[in-house]
Amino acid sequence: MTEFRTPEEELGRFRRRVLVAGIVALVCFGLLAARFYYLQVVRHEYFHTRAEDNRIGLVPIVPTRGAILDRNGVTLARNFAAYTLEITPSQVADLDETIDALSEIVTIDARDRRRFRKLLEESRNFESVPIRTRLDDAEVARFVARRYRFPGVEVQARLFRDYPHGEVASHVIGYIGRINLRDQDRIEERGDTANYRGSDHIGKSGLELSYEAQLHGVTGVEQVEVNAGGRAVRVMSRTPATSGSDLELTLDIELQKVAEAAFGDRRGALVAIDPRTGGVLALASKPTFDPNLFVDGISTADWNELNDSPDHPLLNRAIFSAYPPGSTFKPFMALAALTTGKRTANQAIADPGYFSFAGHRFMDDKVGGHGTVDLHKSIVVSCNTYYYQLANDLGIEGIAGFMAPLGFGSRTGIDIPGEAEGVLPSPAWKRSRFKKPEQQRWYGGETISVGIGQGYNAYTPVQLANALATIVNGGKVFRPHVVRHVIDTASGERRAIQPEPIRQLAIKPAHLAAVRQAMVDVNKSGTGARAFTGAPYSAGGKTGTAQVYSLKGSKYVAGRVTERLRDHSWFIAYAPADNPTIALAVLVENGGFGAQSAAPIARQVIDYHLLGARLDAPAREDAEAADTEADPHAEHDAEPSP
Amino acid sequence: MTEQRFSPLRLLVAAIRPIDPILFGLLAVLLGYAFVLMHSASPERIASLLVNAGVALAAMWLAARLSPQRLLSLALPLYAAGVLLLIAVDLFGETSKGATRWLDIGITRIQPSEIMKIAMPLMLAWYFQQREGHIRLREFVVAGALLAVPVALILVQPDLGTSLLVAAAGFYVIFFAGLSWKLIVPVALVGIVGIGAIVGFGDQLCQPGVDWQVLRDYQKHRVCTLLDPTQDPLGRGFHIIQSTIAIGSGGVLGKGWTEGTQTHLAFLPERHTDFIFSVLAEEFGLLGALVLLASYLLLLLRGFVIAAQAPSLATRLLAGSITMIFFTYAFVNMGMVSGILPVVGVPLPFISYGGTALVTLCLGIGILMSIQRSRTLAKS
């Protein structure tokens, strides 16, 4: 470039360079055109799909959960709308800072923070998590005015579950709670993921759990156009949600209240069944708990109080706890005797006050015995000796073979989850229950204690109530149920849950009549007479006392030990005697004699059921006074003496 | 000028005489695109676009009326003022989005780096004109130094895009002035090999701890996201991914005016400024894009013709480099939004929203018109 050039040469070189520049520009534009062709023609389909994916979002519409009503239409579980303050963690830079700032506007206490942390762990990052629930209007207004300061925080109107009767019937109704990871796994297993997109609560116990499919409803979906910020800007199509069905129960909440109140602060359970249908009229387990505590996530303090209490309020004793039936087993034994032909109704024994077997004496509770005892008297006075002999004659296989069809030792199939099987003892059961060969052997003496409802016998209150219902309805075994109608909220269609007879037992009406007559006389002149004094109807019943063998597994609590050593008190009853509409089993833990604490509860419940009013049953003070008086009719089943 | 009688018609003829009809026609097409696209991308800015376009056309008209000699006489003062302002920005400038680019001069904020886009080629063209007939290696070294000072000042703001554009503007003058291919080819080779190396070893180079020494972190990220936009789809890669989706989903004929879902649902970032081409490609498809490409190509052609026929060395260099600046803007912008070049913040010439850039570009058009007119005058 140092050489001299003429202006013409310079111009020529310049023009060549312009040409080079022009060619470079042309090539580069050609490159762009090729790129556009590639993007807009070759890969158009792909990008078209990507653009559609971008713009269309599916928003689930959460269905309204069905309500739960009692047999008279009284609401037991319902929804109400309230505002929650929710944070989407992925959109918030500093959670603690945000929560601190929010707490200056709305009340956020330590409990809210703890619950938020817990829910945060269980949820995915892009889901909103409530920091406060049930905001009042003033709080909503204060937040909305300052919303711009809180990206990723929003007020949402949500439906909450409310149990207006609180602690009453909580073991039946159950509760819902936030869907946790375990629930999510279960939903996935059921292939129900799509239907729960958007739902954040699910039934956790009771009917809320067992009828989850009906109560939940079908999630709807809204196809919306979303912008880059993820906000819906336009609804494109909408499939509305189908609300969950309402449940109408066979349960009578007023009867339930009477039953629960009758327990006072004693522990125990009551199951009342309509023997004509298997419908559950009342099902109580005491102590109980407030299901409302669980809806938003129970606080650790509340949980510990419920879970650590020696009274185990969360335990549904009515269906999960199995107790030896004590003397309430005797009417069933008597029926076994008649059905198998081991005894006739009129056949009588002489009761010396004990029964000798293999060199041991099994004692009656009445010193000197009841004298001449036939089947009727054996039930009315609850004579042990009669049943020691009978058990020995029937043999354990005979007893187990007769009791199994009545539902003893197997789940009744009631529509509340968490039912226990109980134990109907038999040599086969013992072999599978124990490991060591010497423990697996069945001893004849064990049959004799089974005969009076002690020993290995263990049945849940619902089993006993259902077995009683079977012998008072002519031998039909129903699957007990709490729900009577499933009501489609959209169409109003009421789908009845039909009484479900599982089997008809071949028991002669005469035999049933003999046993029932004896049970009616129990309440007239026998062990239940005091509790049913002055009843304007005729009711059958039977007392029972289940022995508490040991305190193993129970915490030592000063001042309660003596009470907890006491026997459990049973009473089974039905009424009216000639056409029963209610059959029930009452258990009072450590209640002592059956006649003393369980029978008055049964009386109050039957009074309310038949007479529609709370009549004052014999006062409890009376019964307690009787304790010291040594009531002549009180029974005490003897422990098999070794 | 001897005519004393006032005549509106004569005044009009005098007013439009400096206007080159071909350049103006192409400019009208591009500004037409600007209004059509702005109506879709950001309708609330139409009024201020109108003001910007008015100011820019006035600037163009003023530049077109001045003779090239008058324009070149402004080169040194403009360049000196630009360098001083750039120093002032580095010392007292306002910071926005992590970069210090603005200088508040009381009535308005100005971006001195924009001034350099015109001042730089003017200055170098003027300098080579002074040395005409004696252009040797020494002159190229001096020109290189004149170019390096403002480029370095802009680079430390930091503003990679503008510094590259200013460097390119200066380089084009030097190139057209006849810098030996022996010097150009090795530099070009180093550049190609360097880019090849970055593409080839992108994965290792883009690892978080790796320090690229010369480039700042955000510049490194721009290059890295270009190599693999899916690495960070919601962060830095978002722009490129959404932009290519917008372009690709437009297809051949586009989704129709104001029907672009990417545009209207705010998936497209910076849709009224740097990414306005994606709006065009989404709503008007390949056809709209090719028509735009053709308009730019015709503009370049007209610029090159003016350059080739320019009457003096300085006007040749000026016209050639201004034309190449238009090309650079257009190519870099469309290349970046379609994902073949890194996102460097270069607007689409005459169409992207931005007053300073539009005025600068229209000044360039005005200068081309002035050069074109000086040739006709020289002939006659």
Side-chain angles (χ1 to χ4, degrees):
Chain A
M1 77 193 93
T2 47
E3 73 270 35
F4 179 77
R5 292 176 192 219
T6 63
E8 285 71 32
E9 282 172 342
E10 287 281 355
L11 185 61
R13 186 177 60 178
F14 175 77
R15 289 185 174 164
R16 280 196 302 279
R17 292 219 163 179
V18 166
L19 192 66
V20 169
I23 290 168
V24 168
L26 202 63
V27 168
C28 287
F29 274 30
L31 204 65
L32 286 178
R35 176 69 174 171
F36 300 159
Y37 180 82
Y38 172 73
L39 292 176
Q40 300 190 290
V41 177
V42 179
R43 304 210 58 198
H44 171 65
E45 275 304 310
Y46 168 76
F47 286 115
H48 178 73
T49 313
R50 289 286 304 271
E52 290 294 300
D53 285 352
N54 252 351
R55 114 188 142 93
I56 294 170
L58 296 178
V59 179
I61 307 168
V62 183
T64 307
R65 196 175 177 84
I68 300 178
L69 314 165
D70 91 333
R71 68 183 300 128
N72 300 313
V74 178
T75 304
L76 308 182
R78 66 183 173 198
N79 307 303
F80 70 94
Y83 291 106
T84 59
L85 193 61
E86 303 191 1
I87 301 181
T88 307
S90 60
Q91 291 173 18
V92 172
D94 187 332
L95 275 177
D96 288 315
E97 207 176 277
T98 304
I99 296 171
D100 287 341
L102 284 172
S103 66
E104 289 163 18
I105 301 171
V106 298
T107 318
I108 295 173
D109 58 25
R111 205 194 127 182
D112 292 322
R113 284 172 195 255
R114 278 199 301 273
R115 189 181 55 200
F116 179 77
R117 288 283 156 204
K118 198 172 130 209
L119 294 175
L120 195 61
E121 282 167 23
E122 292 175 350
S123 66
R124 298 187 210 98
N125 207 30
F126 52 84
E127 290 173 336
S128 63
V129 178
I131 175 77
R132 248 301 298 282
T133 53
R134 307 182 194 199
L135 297 176
D136 62 36
D137 289 348
E139 285 177 318
V140 170
R142 278 205 298 277
F143 172 77
V144 168
R146 293 168 183 80
R147 177 184 279 159
Y148 65 92
R149 277 174 51 198
F150 300 100
V153 183
E154 280 188 77
V155 169
Q156 301 268 18
R158 296 224 182 241
L159 286 176
F160 283 88
R161 199 65 161 168
D162 177 44
Y163 303 102
H165 294 275
E167 294 199 341
V168 178
S170 57
H171 285 106
V172 177
I173 300 161
Y175 53 85
I176 63 168
R178 284 187 72 89
I179 295 176
N180 60 26
L181 294 176
R182 235 188 16 243
D183 297 323
Q184 258 163 24
D185 289 344
R186 266 201 297 266
I187 290 167
E188 253 163 59
E189 262 168 47
R190 289 204 306 258
D192 231 1
T193 317
N195 202 29
Y196 279 82
R197 196 155 285 149
S199 302
D200 42 24
H201 285 79
I202 193 168
K204 298 274 187 179
S205 79
L207 296 173
E208 294 272 33
L209 172 59
S210 52
Y211 285 87
E212 171 65 26
Q214 289 84 351
L215 288 166
H216 180 270
V218 181
T219 299
V221 68
E222 214 171 48
Q223 221 182 21
V224 294
E225 205 169 64
V226 290
N227 65 13
R231 281 182 195 280
V233 289
R234 187 163 68 91
V235 178
M236 301 175 71
S237 74
R238 188 186 159 93
T239 311
T242 309
S243 296
S245 300
D246 292 345
L247 301 182
E248 187 193 85
L249 309 188
T250 54
L251 188 127
D252 178 346
I253 193 66
E254 292 305 322
L255 186 71
Q256 178 83 17
K257 281 181 190 164
V258 168
E260 293 193 13
F263 275 89
D265 51 12
R266 289 172 292 179
R267 286 164 285 110
L270 175 146
V271 178
I273 293 176
D274 183 339
R276 298 166 298 180
T277 62
V280 174
L281 300 167
L283 187 145
S285 174
K286 293 280 285 189
T288 178
F289 61 91
D290 182 358
N292 291 305
L293 292 176
F294 288 86
V295 176
D296 298 338
I298 189 166
S299 72
T300 315
D302 286 337
W303 171 256
N304 287 344
E305 196 188 321
L306 287 174
N307 201 40
D308 296 347
S309 161
D311 292 343
H312 303 301
L314 295 175
L315 179 68
N316 189 347
R317 291 169 162 81
I319 63 168
F320 186 74
S321 297
Y323 308 85
S327 297
T328 60
F329 206 46
K330 285 173 182 165
F332 304 99
M333 285 294 292
L335 207 53
L338 294 172
T339 303
T340 56
K342 293 285 179 193
R343 297 282 186 277
T344 64
N346 300 325
Q347 205 174 335
I349 63 153
D351 172 19
Y354 59 87
F355 174 69
S356 293
F357 180 79
H360 301 293
R361 278 189 170 187
F362 289 86
M363 303 303 294
D364 206 336
D365 63 317
K366 187 176 178 188
V367 182
H370 293 283
T372 305
V373 179
D374 62 2
L375 185 128
H376 182 267
K377 187 177 175 188
S378 76
I379 292 175
V380 175
V381 302
S382 199
C383 169
N384 284 348
T385 312
Y386 186 90
Y387 290 96
Y388 292 145
Q389 280 185 14
L390 175 60
N392 193 38
D393 290 353
L394 282 167
I396 188 64
E397 301 283 7
I399 296 170
F402 181 81
M403 296 301 171
L406 276 165
F408 286 109
S410 57
R411 295 190 181 93
T412 62
I414 189 170
D415 48 355
I416 302 174
E419 197 185 355
E421 267 184 341
V423 175
L424 174 61
S426 69
W429 167 81
K430 211 179 173 196
R431 272 195 301 279
S432 64
R433 169 71 179 74
F434 294 102
K435 286 201 181 71
K436 292 180 189 160
E438 65 269 24
Q439 287 177 323
Q440 288 181 333
R441 216 190 119 192
W442 186 268
Y443 296 94
E446 292 171 335
T447 308
I448 288 163
S449 17
V450 166
I452 57 158
Q454 308 290 354
Y456 292 119
N457 276 312
Y459 307 117
T460 59
V462 70
Q463 278 175 3
L464 211 50
N466 207 40
L468 175 65
T470 299
I471 64 172
V472 301
N473 72 13
K476 272 197 281 293
V477 181
F478 284 105
R479 189 176 81 89
H481 59 98
V482 184
V483 176
R484 180 161 69 171
H485 285 112
V486 176
I487 305 164
D488 187 312
T489 41
S491 65
E493 181 203 338
R494 298 163 64 88
R495 191 167 59 78
I497 304 274
Q498 296 301 335
E500 201 180 314
I502 297 170
R503 56 186 162 266
Q504 172 70 50
L505 302 184
I507 301 173
K508 286 192 178 138
H511 295 161
L512 286 171
V515 172
R516 284 171 59 177
Q517 184 55 53
M519 289 180 78
V520 169
D521 289 338
V522 166
N523 286 350
K524 285 203 174 118
S525 57
T527 48
R530 174 178 277 270
F532 281 84
T533 308
Y537 51 83
S538 169
K542 182 71 191 80
T543 53
T545 305
Q547 290 158 1
V548 175
Y549 290 110
S550 75
L551 282 172
K552 271 182 219 152
S554 165
K555 283 184 191 166
Y556 177 83
V557 180
R560 301 203 77 161
V561 161
T562 45
E563 195 224 310
R564 289 194 184 233
L565 270 169
R566 280 203 241 157
D567 295 338
H568 298 322
S569 169
W570 273 110
F571 194 76
I572 59 173
Y574 65 93
D578 44 357
N579 184 22
T581 58
I582 184 168
L584 57 83
V586 184
L587 175 109
V588 181
E589 281 189 6
N590 312 118
F593 300 153
Q596 175 190 320
S597 47
I601 295 173
R603 169 78 195 270
Q604 287 185 52
V605 169
I606 294 172
D607 275 357
Y608 184 84
H609 180 68
L610 293 181
L611 311 174
R614 280 182 212 223
L615 295 187
D616 280 329
R620 217 180 136 215
E621 289 75 31
D622 262 26
E624 246 153 43
D627 199 11
T628 45
E629 267 171 30
D631 187 336
H633 297 300
E635 56 179 330
H636 195 214
D637 302 318
E639 205 172 336
S641 28
Chain B
M1 289 296 146
T2 49
E3 195 66 54
Q4 296 296 315
R5 209 162 57 86
F6 177 80
S7 151
L9 184 66
R10 287 185 69 90
L11 202 65
L12 187 65
V13 170
I16 61 169
R17 185 173 294 146
I19 305 294
D20 177 60
I22 301 175
L23 279 178
F24 189 77
L26 291 168
L27 180 61
V29 169
L30 294 173
L31 287 177
Y33 263 110
F35 280 101
V36 166
L37 295 178
M38 196 61 68
H39 177 75
S40 179
S42 182
E44 68 278 8
R45 286 188 170 87
I46 285 284
S48 83
L49 176 64
L50 211 60
V51 172
N52 288 349
V55 172
L57 286 176
M60 177 200 77
W61 183 72
L62 279 173
R65 281 194 61 203
L66 294 176
S67 73
Q69 286 68 34
R70 286 285 290 282
L71 286 169
L72 285 165
S73 68
L74 293 171
L76 191 56
L78 210 57
Y79 176 80
V83 169
L84 285 175
L85 283 172
L86 282 175
I87 294 170
V89 165
D90 285 348
L91 294 179
F92 325 106
E94 281 186 15
T95 305
S96 129
K97 293 186 191 168
T100 312
R101 294 173 191 174
W102 301 91
L103 194 63
D104 198 334
I105 54 164
I107 42 166
T108 181
R109 296 193 314 169
I110 56 167
Q111 217 178 334
S113 55
E114 285 294 324
I115 297 175
M116 288 319 284
K117 286 178 183 169
I118 287 298
M120 197 69 241
L122 259 181
M123 177 64 200
L124 291 181
W126 174 81
Y127 172 72
F128 282 120
Q129 178 79 67
Q130 301 304 305
R131 307 297 300 165
E132 192 176 13
H134 310 280
I135 300 172
R136 312 239 151 74
L137 186 61
R138 197 178 73 93
E139 278 65 38
F140 284 110
V141 171
V142 172
L146 287 172
L147 176 57
V149 171
V151 168
L153 287 171
I154 299 168
L155 199 54
V156 298
Q157 284 182 355
D159 187 347
L160 183 67
T162 309
S163 68
L164 281 177
L165 287 174
V166 171
F171 169 79
Y172 294 138
V173 181
I174 293 172
F175 167 76
F176 285 126
L179 182 64
S180 170
W181 285 110
K182 286 178 210 150
L183 286 171
I184 298 170
V185 171
V187 172
L189 275 179
V190 167
I192 290 167
V193 168
I195 290 169
I198 289 173
V199 173
F201 299 100
D203 287 352
Q204 288 91 319
L205 289 171
C206 290
Q207 293 299 317
V210 181
D211 188 359
W212 285 17
Q213 308 289 344
V214 273
L215 295 184
R216 298 200 176 221
D217 249 9
Y218 84 98
Q219 293 161 345
K220 171 187 164 187
H221 285 310
R222 282 180 175 181
V223 176
C224 289
T225 34
L226 179 80
L227 296 176
D228 184 8
T230 55
Q231 251 183 7
D232 186 8
L234 292 175
R236 286 171 289 270
F238 183 81
H239 290 184
I240 295 178
I241 291 174
Q242 296 301 340
S243 164
T244 46
I245 290 174
I247 296 171
S249 64
V252 175
L253 296 175
K255 297 175 185 170
W257 193 24
T258 71
E259 296 292 318
T261 55
Q262 290 285 104
T263 304
H264 289 279
L265 301 172
F267 286 102
L268 260 188
E270 313 271 337
R271 58 186 182 279
H272 61 284
T273 56
D274 289 358
F275 284 82
I276 199 161
F277 177 79
S278 313
V279 179
L280 166 73
E282 185 182 23
E283 300 192 347
F284 298 98
L286 184 61
L287 201 67
L290 290 182
V291 169
L292 180 73
L293 219 50
S295 309
Y296 280 128
L297 213 51
L298 288 174
L299 185 72
L300 298 187
L301 191 66
R302 181 64 183 160
F304 285 136
V305 167
I306 290 172
Q309 297 175 343
S312 65
L313 176 62
T315 50
R316 281 205 296 267
L317 297 180
L318 199 53
S321 76
I322 286 172
T323 308
M324 284 304 282
I325 289 171
F326 294 161
F327 158 73
T328 310
Y329 269 68
F331 176 65
V332 172
N333 177 274
M334 289 187 278
M336 91 187 181
V337 300
S338 63
I340 57 175
L341 292 176
V343 178
V344 285
V346 173
L348 186 64
F350 307 105
I351 297 179
S352 283
Y353 181 81
T356 319
L358 189 58
V359 169
T360 311
L361 289 159
C362 284
L363 267 177
I365 294 278
I367 292 170
L368 284 181
M369 289 175 172
S370 159
I371 293 169
Q372 166 65 8
R373 200 165 63 98
S374 71
R375 185 187 66 100
T376 352
L377 289 175
K379 266 185 188 168
S380 61

